[in-house]
């Protein structure tokens, strides 16, 4: 064992003179970096600030005495996401253990139940939803309706203190969910429109997609924010809603392009076979072409969700306080001015963890889609 | 003796390429017509016109009592006749064309349910009978990718039959198959022919053509050069090019 690893080291790290030099420089460098990071994280860093500002990071400036509303919403989102996962891959105890790390960590760092309760609730409802759809297949049938109801409840429960107060990680997640869910059907319609036999429709869809793909997201969001009150003053749409509309308008174009590449991957023979069975063009597109097209583009579509989540901080342009902005707000407090690294590290770690979870789910989704066909 | 397909000086172009030239052809009900010809002669194009997968530009084509609109009219939306025609005409392709994301059973039931508005129970009962007929009942819940080529082609035939067609088109149904699977598909087609189904078959299986066909049509460069009884055609072709074609294919 040791002999082989010495051999491996000799061969790979000290094989050629250049490797030797590189290894002599890089290995100590990496070790030193690892040491300083660990030393900082466990000795010098004052993580207390994260615990103290956890509420602001999670739900922004939502009033503290109304926070239960936001925590309930988080729990509902957790249940919906968990139930969604359960349709794709079965819940296993080790998934639960990983998720439970979050509240456990909070308990250890904070030492009190108060701050850990919301996280515990969210994690618990995620696990419940996940286990439900994993082990009760019948529940998958009602999931779309349940998720829709859940979303209405979230809006109803969080609205009273004022929609303008939504913020933090909760806002980022809500924005990502709403944008992802809405941009999928719109993107699909655009993709079909771009291939339509009606040239006017085709030109409009092509233009829409090309324009959106050549301008920055932040500009689209800003424009929509300014334009909505002009175009539809009677609606009196809140900033949050306008932001979601801007994101959806922008990302639908990207979804359309992914879906279009999927549509092109479906062999012509499939359409011809369906036509010769007498199926209508609508039925062919809906039941034969689209399912096969989506199957091909699952990975880029989930990548798009990740993209949306990582772009959410741009809503600062219309005055919203997302997760990243909440972190900045904390640092703006002179009292906490010297905790930049702690806060930024926490943001980075959270983005990384959530991003990894989305990627992990995407891989499972791909496996799930692949079974049965071949 | 009514014709189910009637082509009168039918012409088809791909751009400027004249692919079908003044085709006059009538297929009677119950007849098995085999279409022969070299590669690129226009065999596929000819039968694909019959269910409207290809559009023709001049002449006329009547299928099952409906006039197939010419290209200019189809662009103007004359698609109602097309839908009517396709309901009554089945087609089997060289590459099977099964839907890979649906089970064998769903492949067979989707069109009867969507197009003929049958209930799932009705459609599934018919599908199981047809799977029995092609010897694949046990595979109803598999996906196409789990079947051999010969099995897939038999499912494709069952899928077409589920629409209760009056006419079946076959475009080289055995050309993509391994030799040992050709027989099982030809058996199904033979059984279908003897049940009285009207069939237009493009094939390179000369033995099958000779045995099953009522008439053989020979096409070359988009024109029909010879039509006749199979024995007559194979033993004593009148056309020179038909003769050299036969000499080439029968050598193998
Ligand atoms: N989509 C198309 N666009 C342009 N030309 C085409 C197209 N499809 C076929 N052709 C041409 O039309 C002619 C007839 O083709 P067709 O496929 O009907 O021949 P075939 O007799 O079926 O040949 P094979 O035995 O190879 O299948 C050929 O010259 C071919 O190159
Ligand atoms: Mg052909």
């Amino acid at each position: 064992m040791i002999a082989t690893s010495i051999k491996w080291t000799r061969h790979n790290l000290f094989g050629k003179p250049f490797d030797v030099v590189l290894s002599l420089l890089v290995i100590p460098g990496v070790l030193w970096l690892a040491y300083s990071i660990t030393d900082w994280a466990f000795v010098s860093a004052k993580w207390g600030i994260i615990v103290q500002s956890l509420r602001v990071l999670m739900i922004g400036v939502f009033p503290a005495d109304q926070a239960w509303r936001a925590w309930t919403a988080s729990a509902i989102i957790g249940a919906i996401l968990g139930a969604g996962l359960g349709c794709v891959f079965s819940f296993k105890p080790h998934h639960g253990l990983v998720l439970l790390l979050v509240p456990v960590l909070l308990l250890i760092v904070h030492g009190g139940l108060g701050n850990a309760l919301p996280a515990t609730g969210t994690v618990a409802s995620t696990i419940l939803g996940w286990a439900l759809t994993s082990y009760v297949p019948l529940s998958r049938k009602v999931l779309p309706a349940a998720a829709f109801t859940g979303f209405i409840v979230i809006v109803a429960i969080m609205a009273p203190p004022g929609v303008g107060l939504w913020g933090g990680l909760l806002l980022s997640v809500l924005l990502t969910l709403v944008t992802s869910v809405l941009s999928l059907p719109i993107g699909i319609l655009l993709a079909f429109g771009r291939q339509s036999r009606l040239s006017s429709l085709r030109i409009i869809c092509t233009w829409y997609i090309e324009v959106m793909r050549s301008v920055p997201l932040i500009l689209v969001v800003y424009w929509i924010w300014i334009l909505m009150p002009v175009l539809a003053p009677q609606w009196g749409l809140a900033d949050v809603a306008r932001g979601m509309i801007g994101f959806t308008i922008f990302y639908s174009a990207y979804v359309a392009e992914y879906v279009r590449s999927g549509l092109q991957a479906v062999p012509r023979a499939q359409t011809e076979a369906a036509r010769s069975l007498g199926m209508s063009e609508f039925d062919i597109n809906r039941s034969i072409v689209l399912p096969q097209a989506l199957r091909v583009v699952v990975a880029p579509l989930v990548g798009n969700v990740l993209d949306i989540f990582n772009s959410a901080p741009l809503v600062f342009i219309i005055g919203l306080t997302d997760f990243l902005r909440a972190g900045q707000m904390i640092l703006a407090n002179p009292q906490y001015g010297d905790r930049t690294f702690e806060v930024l590290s926490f943001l980075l770690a959270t983005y990384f963890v959530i991003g990894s979870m989305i990627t992990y789910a995407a891989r499972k989704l791909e496996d799930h889609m692949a079974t049965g066909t071949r | 003796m009514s014709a189910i397909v009637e082509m009168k000086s039918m012409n088809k172009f791909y751009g400027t390429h004249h692919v079908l030239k003044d085709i006059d052809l009538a297929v009677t009900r119950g007849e098995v017509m085999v279409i022969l010809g070299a590669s690129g002669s226009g065999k596929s194009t000819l039968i694909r016109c019959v269910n409207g997968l290809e559009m023709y530009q001049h002449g006329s084509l009547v299928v099952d009592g409906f006039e197939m609109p010419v290209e200019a009219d189809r662009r103007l939306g004359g698609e109602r006749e097309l839908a009517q025609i396709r309901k009554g005409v089945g087609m089997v392709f060289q590459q099977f064309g099964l839907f890979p994301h649906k089970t064998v059973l769903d492949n067979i039931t989707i069109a009867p349910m969507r197009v003929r508005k049958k209930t799932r129970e009705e459609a599934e009962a018919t599908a199981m009978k047809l799977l029995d007929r092609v010897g694949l009942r046990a595979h109803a819940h598999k996906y196409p990718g789990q079947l051999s080529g010969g099995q897939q082609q038999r499912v494709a035939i069952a899928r077409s039959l589920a629409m209760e067609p009056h006419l079946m088109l076959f475009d080289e149904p055995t050309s993509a198959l391994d030799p040992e699977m050709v027989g099982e598909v030809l058996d199904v087609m033979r059984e279908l022919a003897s049940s009285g189904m009207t069939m237009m078959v493009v094939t390179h299986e000369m033995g099958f053509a000779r045995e099953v066909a009522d008439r053989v049509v020979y096409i070359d460069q988009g024109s029909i050069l010879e039509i006749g009884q199979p024995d007559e055609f194979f033993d004593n072709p009148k056309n020179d090019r038909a003769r050299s074609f036969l000499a080439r294919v029968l050598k193998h």
Side-chain angles (χ1 to χ4, degrees), chain A residues 197 270-271 273-289, chain B residues 79 82-83 86-87 110-111 114-117 163:
Chain A
R197 284 197 298 176
Q270 289 286 306
T271 317
R275 277 191 190 142
S276 61
L277 287 167
M279 292 174 68
S280 67
E281 294 300 308
F282 178 76
D283 273 342
I284 294 172
N285 283 331
R286 182 182 59 153
S287 308
I288 307 299
V289 178
Chain B
E79 302 253 325
L82 189 63
R86 282 181 178 162
K87 272 194 205 176
I110 185 166
R114 294 284 169 78
V115 183
R116 294 217 182 272
K117 310 291 176 205
M163 285 297 286

Short mmCIF file of all heavy atoms in Angstrom, two decimals, chain A residues 197 270-271 273-289, chain B residues 79 82-83 86-87 110-111 114-117 163:
data_model
loop_
_atom_site.label_atom_id
_atom_site.label_comp_id
_atom_site.label_asym_id
_atom_site.label_seq_id
_atom_site.Cartn_x
_atom_site.Cartn_y
_atom_site.Cartn_z
N ARG A 197 -44.81 26.90 -39.26
CA ARG A 197 -44.94 27.13 -40.70
C ARG A 197 -45.45 28.54 -40.96
O ARG A 197 -45.34 29.04 -42.07
CB ARG A 197 -45.90 26.10 -41.30
CG ARG A 197 -45.25 24.72 -41.43
CD ARG A 197 -46.02 23.85 -42.38
NE ARG A 197 -47.39 23.63 -41.86
CZ ARG A 197 -48.32 22.95 -42.54
NH1 ARG A 197 -48.05 22.47 -43.71
NH2 ARG A 197 -49.50 22.76 -42.01
N GLN A 270 -39.65 9.84 -36.68
CA GLN A 270 -40.65 9.80 -35.62
C GLN A 270 -41.90 10.57 -36.04
O GLN A 270 -43.02 10.11 -35.84
CB GLN A 270 -40.06 10.40 -34.34
CG GLN A 270 -39.02 9.52 -33.70
CD GLN A 270 -39.63 8.31 -33.04
OE1 GLN A 270 -40.51 8.43 -32.21
NE2 GLN A 270 -39.19 7.14 -33.43
N THR A 271 -41.71 11.76 -36.57
CA THR A 271 -42.84 12.56 -37.02
C THR A 271 -43.57 11.86 -38.16
O THR A 271 -44.80 11.82 -38.19
CB THR A 271 -42.34 13.93 -37.52
OG1 THR A 271 -41.36 14.40 -36.61
CG2 THR A 271 -43.46 14.92 -37.62
N ALA A 273 -43.70 8.66 -38.85
CA ALA A 273 -44.45 7.50 -38.37
C ALA A 273 -45.76 7.95 -37.73
O ALA A 273 -46.82 7.37 -37.98
CB ALA A 273 -43.61 6.71 -37.38
N ALA A 274 -45.68 9.01 -36.93
CA ALA A 274 -46.89 9.49 -36.25
C ALA A 274 -47.89 10.05 -37.26
O ALA A 274 -49.10 9.84 -37.14
CB ALA A 274 -46.52 10.54 -35.22
N ARG A 275 -47.37 10.76 -38.27
CA ARG A 275 -48.26 11.30 -39.30
C ARG A 275 -48.98 10.19 -40.03
O ARG A 275 -50.16 10.28 -40.30
CB ARG A 275 -47.46 12.11 -40.32
CG ARG A 275 -47.22 13.51 -39.87
CD ARG A 275 -46.68 14.35 -41.00
NE ARG A 275 -46.24 15.61 -40.44
CZ ARG A 275 -45.16 16.27 -40.82
NH1 ARG A 275 -44.44 15.81 -41.82
NH2 ARG A 275 -44.83 17.39 -40.24
N SER A 276 -48.22 9.13 -40.36
CA SER A 276 -48.87 8.09 -41.15
C SER A 276 -49.87 7.31 -40.31
O SER A 276 -50.66 6.55 -40.85
CB SER A 276 -47.83 7.17 -41.79
OG SER A 276 -47.08 6.54 -40.80
N LEU A 277 -49.86 7.52 -38.99
CA LEU A 277 -50.92 6.94 -38.16
C LEU A 277 -52.13 7.87 -38.09
O LEU A 277 -53.10 7.59 -37.41
CB LEU A 277 -50.39 6.68 -36.74
CG LEU A 277 -49.44 5.50 -36.59
CD1 LEU A 277 -48.74 5.55 -35.25
CD2 LEU A 277 -50.18 4.20 -36.76
N GLY A 278 -52.02 9.01 -38.77
CA GLY A 278 -53.15 9.93 -38.80
C GLY A 278 -53.19 10.90 -37.64
O GLY A 278 -54.17 11.64 -37.47
N MET A 279 -52.13 10.94 -36.80
CA MET A 279 -52.16 11.84 -35.65
C MET A 279 -52.06 13.30 -36.10
O MET A 279 -51.40 13.61 -37.08
CB MET A 279 -51.02 11.50 -34.69
CG MET A 279 -51.20 10.15 -34.01
SD MET A 279 -49.78 9.66 -33.01
CE MET A 279 -49.88 10.86 -31.68
N SER A 280 -52.72 14.19 -35.34
CA SER A 280 -52.69 15.61 -35.68
C SER A 280 -51.31 16.18 -35.33
O SER A 280 -50.61 15.63 -34.48
CB SER A 280 -53.76 16.35 -34.89
OG SER A 280 -53.43 16.32 -33.51
N GLU A 281 -50.95 17.26 -35.97
CA GLU A 281 -49.66 17.88 -35.70
C GLU A 281 -49.53 18.23 -34.21
O GLU A 281 -48.46 18.09 -33.62
CB GLU A 281 -49.46 19.14 -36.55
CG GLU A 281 -49.36 18.88 -38.05
CD GLU A 281 -48.19 17.96 -38.42
OE1 GLU A 281 -47.05 18.24 -38.00
OE2 GLU A 281 -48.43 16.96 -39.14
N PHE A 282 -50.63 18.68 -33.61
CA PHE A 282 -50.59 19.04 -32.20
C PHE A 282 -50.27 17.81 -31.34
O PHE A 282 -49.39 17.86 -30.47
CB PHE A 282 -51.93 19.65 -31.78
CG PHE A 282 -52.00 20.01 -30.32
CD1 PHE A 282 -51.36 21.14 -29.84
CD2 PHE A 282 -52.68 19.20 -29.42
CE1 PHE A 282 -51.40 21.46 -28.49
CE2 PHE A 282 -52.71 19.50 -28.08
CZ PHE A 282 -52.08 20.64 -27.61
N ASP A 283 -50.98 16.71 -31.60
CA ASP A 283 -50.73 15.48 -30.85
C ASP A 283 -49.31 14.97 -31.07
O ASP A 283 -48.67 14.48 -30.14
CB ASP A 283 -51.71 14.39 -31.28
CG ASP A 283 -53.02 14.46 -30.49
OD1 ASP A 283 -53.01 15.11 -29.43
OD2 ASP A 283 -54.02 13.88 -30.93
N ILE A 284 -48.83 15.09 -32.31
CA ILE A 284 -47.48 14.61 -32.61
C ILE A 284 -46.45 15.40 -31.80
O ILE A 284 -45.57 14.84 -31.16
CB ILE A 284 -47.18 14.74 -34.12
CG1 ILE A 284 -48.09 13.80 -34.91
CG2 ILE A 284 -45.71 14.43 -34.41
CD1 ILE A 284 -48.01 13.99 -36.42
N ASN A 285 -46.62 16.72 -31.82
CA ASN A 285 -45.66 17.55 -31.09
C ASN A 285 -45.73 17.30 -29.59
O ASN A 285 -44.71 17.20 -28.92
CB ASN A 285 -45.92 19.03 -31.37
CG ASN A 285 -45.39 19.42 -32.74
OD1 ASN A 285 -44.43 18.84 -33.23
ND2 ASN A 285 -46.04 20.38 -33.36
N ARG A 286 -46.95 17.16 -29.07
CA ARG A 286 -47.12 17.03 -27.63
C ARG A 286 -46.69 15.66 -27.12
O ARG A 286 -46.01 15.56 -26.11
CB ARG A 286 -48.59 17.27 -27.27
CG ARG A 286 -48.85 17.20 -25.78
CD ARG A 286 -50.31 17.39 -25.48
NE ARG A 286 -51.12 16.37 -26.15
CZ ARG A 286 -52.30 15.97 -25.68
NH1 ARG A 286 -52.80 16.49 -24.61
NH2 ARG A 286 -52.98 15.04 -26.33
N SER A 287 -47.06 14.60 -27.84
CA SER A 287 -46.86 13.27 -27.28
C SER A 287 -45.68 12.51 -27.85
O SER A 287 -45.21 11.57 -27.24
CB SER A 287 -48.12 12.41 -27.50
OG SER A 287 -49.25 13.08 -27.03
N ILE A 288 -45.22 12.89 -29.02
CA ILE A 288 -44.13 12.14 -29.63
C ILE A 288 -42.83 12.96 -29.62
O ILE A 288 -41.80 12.51 -29.13
CB ILE A 288 -44.48 11.74 -31.09
CG1 ILE A 288 -45.82 11.01 -31.13
CG2 ILE A 288 -43.35 10.93 -31.70
CD1 ILE A 288 -45.86 9.73 -30.33
N VAL A 289 -42.90 14.18 -30.14
CA VAL A 289 -41.66 14.94 -30.32
C VAL A 289 -41.18 15.56 -29.00
O VAL A 289 -40.03 15.36 -28.60
CB VAL A 289 -41.85 16.05 -31.39
CG1 VAL A 289 -40.59 16.86 -31.53
CG2 VAL A 289 -42.22 15.41 -32.72
N GLU B 79 -55.96 20.42 -45.84
CA GLU B 79 -55.44 19.26 -45.13
C GLU B 79 -56.53 18.34 -44.62
O GLU B 79 -56.25 17.33 -43.99
CB GLU B 79 -54.54 19.71 -43.96
CG GLU B 79 -53.38 20.58 -44.38
CD GLU B 79 -52.03 19.85 -44.31
OE1 GLU B 79 -51.87 19.02 -43.41
OE2 GLU B 79 -51.17 20.10 -45.17
N LEU B 82 -56.39 15.09 -46.35
CA LEU B 82 -55.18 14.40 -45.92
C LEU B 82 -55.44 13.60 -44.64
O LEU B 82 -55.10 12.43 -44.53
CB LEU B 82 -54.08 15.43 -45.69
CG LEU B 82 -52.70 14.87 -45.45
CD1 LEU B 82 -52.23 14.11 -46.66
CD2 LEU B 82 -51.73 15.99 -45.12
N ALA B 83 -56.07 14.26 -43.66
CA ALA B 83 -56.36 13.59 -42.40
C ALA B 83 -57.25 12.37 -42.63
O ALA B 83 -57.04 11.30 -42.05
CB ALA B 83 -57.03 14.57 -41.44
N ARG B 86 -55.17 9.55 -44.24
CA ARG B 86 -54.20 8.90 -43.35
C ARG B 86 -54.86 7.97 -42.35
O ARG B 86 -54.27 7.00 -41.90
CB ARG B 86 -53.38 9.97 -42.61
CG ARG B 86 -52.30 10.54 -43.52
CD ARG B 86 -51.48 11.56 -42.82
NE ARG B 86 -50.42 12.05 -43.69
CZ ARG B 86 -49.77 13.18 -43.49
NH1 ARG B 86 -50.07 13.94 -42.45
NH2 ARG B 86 -48.83 13.55 -44.31
N LYS B 87 -56.11 8.29 -41.96
CA LYS B 87 -56.82 7.40 -41.04
C LYS B 87 -56.96 6.00 -41.62
O LYS B 87 -56.98 5.02 -40.90
CB LYS B 87 -58.23 7.95 -40.79
CG LYS B 87 -58.32 8.93 -39.65
CD LYS B 87 -59.78 9.10 -39.30
CE LYS B 87 -60.03 10.44 -38.64
NZ LYS B 87 -61.46 10.65 -38.39
N ILE B 110 -51.84 4.50 -28.94
CA ILE B 110 -51.92 5.97 -28.95
C ILE B 110 -52.77 6.51 -30.10
O ILE B 110 -53.65 7.36 -29.89
CB ILE B 110 -50.52 6.64 -28.89
CG1 ILE B 110 -50.69 8.14 -28.78
CG2 ILE B 110 -49.67 6.27 -30.10
CD1 ILE B 110 -49.44 8.89 -28.40
N ALA B 111 -52.55 5.99 -31.33
CA ALA B 111 -53.31 6.54 -32.45
C ALA B 111 -54.80 6.20 -32.39
O ALA B 111 -55.64 7.08 -32.56
CB ALA B 111 -52.70 6.10 -33.78
N ARG B 114 -56.19 8.63 -29.77
CA ARG B 114 -56.19 10.04 -30.14
C ARG B 114 -57.00 10.31 -31.40
O ARG B 114 -57.74 11.29 -31.47
CB ARG B 114 -54.76 10.53 -30.37
CG ARG B 114 -53.89 10.55 -29.15
CD ARG B 114 -54.24 11.72 -28.24
NE ARG B 114 -53.57 11.57 -26.97
CZ ARG B 114 -52.28 11.85 -26.77
NH1 ARG B 114 -51.56 12.32 -27.76
NH2 ARG B 114 -51.73 11.67 -25.60
N VAL B 115 -56.83 9.45 -32.40
CA VAL B 115 -57.43 9.75 -33.71
C VAL B 115 -58.84 9.17 -33.82
O VAL B 115 -59.76 9.84 -34.26
CB VAL B 115 -56.54 9.22 -34.84
CG1 VAL B 115 -57.12 9.60 -36.19
CG2 VAL B 115 -55.13 9.76 -34.69
N ARG B 116 -58.99 7.93 -33.38
CA ARG B 116 -60.31 7.30 -33.50
C ARG B 116 -61.13 7.44 -32.22
O ARG B 116 -62.23 6.88 -32.13
CB ARG B 116 -60.16 5.83 -33.87
CG ARG B 116 -59.57 5.61 -35.25
CD ARG B 116 -60.21 4.42 -35.95
NE ARG B 116 -59.64 4.17 -37.26
CZ ARG B 116 -60.07 4.75 -38.38
NH1 ARG B 116 -61.07 5.61 -38.34
NH2 ARG B 116 -59.50 4.47 -39.53
N LYS B 117 -60.57 8.11 -31.23
CA LYS B 117 -61.28 8.40 -29.98
C LYS B 117 -61.78 7.14 -29.28
O LYS B 117 -62.88 7.11 -28.72
CB LYS B 117 -62.46 9.36 -30.20
CG LYS B 117 -62.10 10.61 -30.99
CD LYS B 117 -61.20 11.53 -30.19
CE LYS B 117 -60.77 12.72 -31.03
NZ LYS B 117 -59.51 13.32 -30.59
N MET B 163 -55.16 0.84 -36.49
CA MET B 163 -56.00 1.91 -37.04
C MET B 163 -57.01 1.37 -38.05
O MET B 163 -57.72 2.13 -38.70
CB MET B 163 -55.12 2.98 -37.69
CG MET B 163 -54.42 3.88 -36.69
SD MET B 163 -55.58 4.84 -35.70
CE MET B 163 -56.10 6.05 -36.91
#
